[in-house]
Amino acid sequence: MNAPLADRIRPKTLDDVVGQQHILGPNKVLRRIIESGTIPNMVFYGPSGVGKTTVASIIAKQSHMHLCKLNGTTASTADIRDVVAQVNTLQAVNGVLLYLDEIQYFNKKQQQTLLEFIENGSITLIASTTENPYFYVYNAILSRSTVFEFKPVEKEEVARAVDRAFRILSEDLGEEIRLEDGVTSYIASACGGDVRKAMNAAELCTAAVRSEDEPRITMELAEQLTQRSAMRYDRDGDAHYDILSAFQKSMRGSDPDAALHYLARLLEAGDLASACRRLMVCACEDVGLAWPQIIPIVKAAVDAAMMVGLPEARIPLADAVILTATAPKSNSGESAIDAAMRDVKAGKLGVIPRTLQNVHYDGSDVAKKGQFYRYPHDYPDHWLDQQYLPDALLGASYYHYGDNKNEQAFKAYWENIKRKHSS
């Protein structure tokens, strides 16, 4: 049985690797390290299918080290010890290079066992992870390793690999596979920078036309077999939070097109709840007092979306996202509550003024009897100058009017009233 295309097409040298030129290009740091022959412990961080395993294999080959592979989802402490047992054997005369995929799934005890063998030099570690290593990898391992970030491969680079894949598949089939215009470009684009997914798509397309007298891959077929391959999404992973962050920041930045793009990615992944939650947060946090009427409007759109579900939910959510992105912005409310909470957390509390306390009688310890609270609605303009903050916080100012039309109107209103009553 033939090996998967992704394995057969796997680059054998650094020059054959597609993408990652920021670390593997001429005179770039990782390339210089590999060419030096002295391989340190490393952590490769980045999405799947972008060359982490391939580069580790090339490193092992060029350094003449014995390559052992483990996966963090299935490997145990015993597996680590089995790898170490190969040190100083005939097959590992130049040392052992352990490639540990998905290290984030190792618990602390397993990572500590790994650390023991890293420290005494028994093995050289290359660990890979699709998650941020600074959150998931034991600090002691990170401090003894160099972290390299692998990025999604550019479309043009993926297209090179797709063309090569179809050449190999044509050789396997014994006749040329004809491609409709745009197929290579579509697969390269739809894979979302994941070369392995692009290889799988090419292989699936070929399998679908293998029995034809004149095998031909159409755009329709390519779209059917790669339609969801661009989605990099794990609700517990970095991609989830990256998309949500970009979604809100695009609305905050008043870019409706970008906001709709990220909304589409959330909905395509079926994450309706996260889209609704972040939209509500943005309406309150980023539009806020500049146009407070937006809050019930967005809430109504969110309720409608949750009621009808996908795919129809996209319609009220799109309306609400465009409205939020194009609305005037103010974060004065958020800034005000954050400032107040900083004081509270710092212990700046003070005694609530007696005029504001829920007191119905005076104890014997109170020299001046009576609460002396004055009801603002009994006074002109429903306002009077009265102390509300504790003595310890007199003069504290948390809320500052935003520079939008709505808040400036309120500011002018209250400045006029206070000026009138101070004269």
Side-chain angles (χ1 to χ4, degrees):
M1 183 177 178
N2 286 337
L5 177 64
D7 289 336
R8 288 188 286 141
I9 203 173
R10 194 181 297 278
K12 300 297 189 293
T13 69
L14 294 179
D15 291 330
D16 293 333
V17 176
V18 294
Q20 314 313 327
Q21 291 304 295
H22 64 293
I23 51 177
L24 292 175
N27 207 37
K28 297 298 182 180
V29 61
L30 181 54
R31 189 185 191 103
R32 294 206 312 268
I33 289 173
I34 296 170
E35 291 175 344
S36 75
T38 302
I39 310 301
N41 300 304
M42 292 182 279
V43 175
F44 291 170
Y45 159 47
S48 59
V50 296
K52 300 188 296 296
T53 303
T54 295
V55 172
S57 299
I58 292 173
I59 290 173
K61 180 181 177 181
Q62 292 193 191
S63 63
H64 304 292
M65 300 175 76
H66 176 57
L67 178 63
C68 296
K69 297 180 180 179
L70 294 178
N71 191 292
T73 60
T74 57
S76 65
T77 301
D79 293 321
I80 298 174
R81 296 187 186 282
D82 287 344
V83 170
V84 175
Q86 299 180 47
V87 174
N88 295 326
T89 62
L90 287 176
Q91 63 180 348
V93 291
N94 292 308
V96 171
L97 176 63
L98 171 60
Y99 178 68
L100 176 58
D101 197 13
E102 306 289 3
I103 188 176
Q104 72 269 20
Y105 290 106
F106 260 27
N107 59 37
K108 187 174 181 180
K109 182 178 180 181
Q110 289 173 307
Q111 292 194 37
Q112 287 175 327
T113 300
L114 196 59
L115 178 64
E116 173 189 341
F117 299 117
I118 292 173
E119 288 187 320
N120 64 26
S122 298
I123 60 173
T124 297
L125 174 71
I126 296 181
S128 76
T129 175
T130 55
E131 307 294 349
N132 190 325
Y134 297 101
F135 295 154
Y136 291 93
V137 180
Y138 189 39
N139 283 336
I141 290 179
L142 282 179
S143 68
R144 292 161 177 80
S145 306
T146 304
V147 178
F148 292 98
E149 182 179 1
F150 282 60
K151 299 179 180 180
V153 181
E154 294 295 327
K155 173 184 171 182
E156 294 74 20
E157 291 289 310
V158 179
R160 284 176 43 209
V162 174
D163 282 335
R164 184 179 170 211
F166 279 122
R167 286 197 299 272
I168 292 175
L169 290 166
S170 294
E171 292 171 4
D172 291 346
L173 199 58
E175 58 182 311
E176 183 181 357
I177 300 170
R178 293 181 298 135
L179 307 177
E180 188 172 290
D181 288 346
V183 165
T184 295
S185 178
Y186 178 80
I187 293 175
S189 177
C191 75
D194 186 327
V195 180
R196 188 184 299 116
K197 283 187 177 180
M199 298 300 97
N200 291 342
E203 202 163 20
L204 283 171
C205 288
T206 301
V209 301
R210 184 178 294 275
S211 60
E212 296 179 2
D213 292 336
E214 294 183 356
R216 179 173 180 268
I217 296 173
T218 64
M219 276 293 294
E220 181 182 4
L221 179 64
E223 289 171 357
Q224 289 176 353
L225 295 177
T226 60
Q227 58 183 342
R228 292 185 65 84
S229 64
M231 290 305 301
R232 292 187 180 279
Y233 200 82
D234 175 354
R235 295 192 190 190
D236 295 319
D238 286 350
H240 166 77
Y241 297 105
D242 286 346
I243 293 175
L244 287 176
S245 176
F247 179 48
Q248 182 166 355
K249 287 172 181 173
S250 296
M251 287 188 286
R252 178 185 297 148
S254 303
D255 188 330
D257 297 311
L260 287 169
H261 169 76
Y262 295 114
L263 172 66
R265 288 172 69 164
L266 289 166
L267 298 184
E268 183 67 14
D271 198 353
L272 177 60
S274 292
C276 289
R277 178 183 177 276
R278 194 56 67 104
L279 178 55
M280 281 300 311
V281 169
C282 193
C284 299
E285 177 183 343
D286 298 306
V287 177
L289 295 173
W291 187 36
Q293 296 93 326
I294 197 174
I295 297 172
I297 294 173
V298 169
K299 176 62 164 58
V302 164
D303 288 345
M306 297 301 289
M307 181 180 294
V308 301
L310 290 169
E312 288 81 1
R314 75 191 189 283
I315 302 168
L317 290 185
D319 291 341
V321 164
I322 293 170
L323 190 67
T324 303
T326 56
K329 303 295 189 295
S330 173
N331 70 336
S332 59
E334 182 200 19
S335 298
I337 186 59
D338 287 350
M341 291 186 74
R342 281 195 296 271
D343 274 357
V344 170
K345 290 176 181 179
K348 297 179 181 178
L349 302 174
V351 177
I352 295 174
R354 180 167 177 75
T355 54
L356 305 184
Q357 293 175 10
N358 185 27
V359 177
H360 300 288
Y361 68 94
D362 292 314
S364 59
D365 60 324
V366 177
K368 188 176 181 181
K369 307 298 183 182
Q371 187 172 4
F372 307 108
Y373 172 66
R374 292 179 291 172
Y375 189 55
H377 296 300
D378 289 341
Y379 293 82
D381 298 313
H382 305 268
W383 182 84
L384 75 158
D385 190 5
Q386 183 172 221
Q387 179 179 338
Y388 292 98
L389 277 170
D391 290 344
L393 286 168
L394 279 179
S397 178
Y398 301 124
Y399 174 62
H400 303 281
Y401 291 97
D403 57 4
N404 57 84
K405 182 178 179 180
N406 193 61
E407 289 181 86
Q408 286 300 307
F410 286 152
K411 179 182 180 183
Y413 172 82
W414 283 109
E415 285 179 345
N416 181 57
I417 286 178
K418 292 178 181 179
R419 189 183 308 113
K420 181 170 68 174
H421 287 277
S422 65
S423 58

